[in-house]
């Protein structure tokens, strides 16, 4: 996913927390890699390293439109259930990007738009 770094906000556990924007909106995330340059665009992979839970961290979205937004200390990603795996993983689509998460609970069907809420979003520069 292509993002633009708005600001290097703070340091958290030896990682920089950045505010960013994309074609789907913006939020805050930890940055993995060399210090990003404010105002520069990057192609990144999104990761939520925690195991999330259906109907708690991942809830059905009212809107069926890809979106990234901030809500206090959390970043919310509105995306679509893409592929369900039997062993507790799921692929989610946001535009042309896919995010794979470890997930527990009873899943929503493929094609359902969901909101993923996380305080632990990490961005990886894929062109290191």
């Amino acid at each position: 996913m292509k993002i633009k770094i708005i600001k290097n906000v703070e340091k958290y556990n030896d990682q920089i927390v950045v505010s960013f924007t994309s074609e789907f909106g913006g939020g805050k995330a930890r940055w993995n890699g060399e210090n990003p340059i404010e105002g520069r665009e990057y192609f990144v992979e999104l990761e939520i390293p925690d195991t999330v839970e259906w109907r708690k961290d991942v809830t059905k979205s009212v809107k069926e439109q890809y979106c990234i937004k901030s809500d206090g200390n959390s970043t919310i990603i509105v995306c679509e259930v893409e592929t369900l795996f039997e062993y507790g993983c799921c692929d989610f689509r946001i535009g042309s990007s896919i995010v794979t998460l470890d997930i527990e609970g009873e899943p929503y069907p493929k094609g359902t738009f969901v909101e993923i809420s996380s305080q632990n979003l990490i961005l990886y520069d894929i062109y290191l």
Side-chain angles (χ1 to χ4, degrees):
M1 171 182 295
K2 185 166 106 172
I3 63 142
K4 182 177 184 179
I5 300 296
I6 302 300
K7 185 176 181 182
N8 295 334
V9 179
E10 63 187 355
K11 273 205 161 202
Y12 178 78
N13 288 342
D14 293 327
Q15 285 186 311
I16 293 175
V17 175
V18 298
S19 61
F20 68 94
T21 188
S22 72
E23 66 178 300
F24 306 111
K28 287 184 181 177
R30 289 187 290 148
W31 182 263
N32 190 294
E34 294 185 24
N35 291 353
I37 299 168
E38 292 178 1
R40 184 171 168 200
E41 292 183 337
Y42 294 87
F43 286 92
V44 298
E45 182 176 305
L46 306 175
E47 179 190 17
I48 298 172
D50 306 318
T51 298
V52 295
E53 190 175 332
W54 293 105
R55 294 170 173 74
K56 180 183 173 194
D57 309 299
V58 180
T59 57
K60 195 169 183 179
S61 177
V62 176
K63 295 184 178 182
E64 293 189 353
Q65 183 176 7
Y66 302 126
C67 178
I68 299 175
K69 58 188 175 183
S70 287
D71 183 22
N73 290 329
S74 296
T75 296
I76 296 172
I77 302 169
V78 178
C79 52
E80 185 177 3
V81 176
E82 177 75 13
T83 307
L84 298 162
F85 299 98
E86 293 181 20
Y87 49 87
C89 288
C90 183
D91 286 345
F92 297 90
R93 173 174 297 282
I94 180 162
S96 61
S97 298
I98 300 289
V99 178
T100 302
L101 298 180
D102 292 324
I103 193 160
E104 297 174 340
E106 185 64 33
Y108 293 108
K110 179 179 176 174
T112 304
F113 274 79
V114 294
E115 293 187 6
I116 302 170
S117 179
S118 177
Q119 294 182 2
N120 200 14
L121 180 64
I122 302 173
L123 303 176
Y124 291 88
D125 181 1
I126 60 175
Y127 292 123
L128 286 178

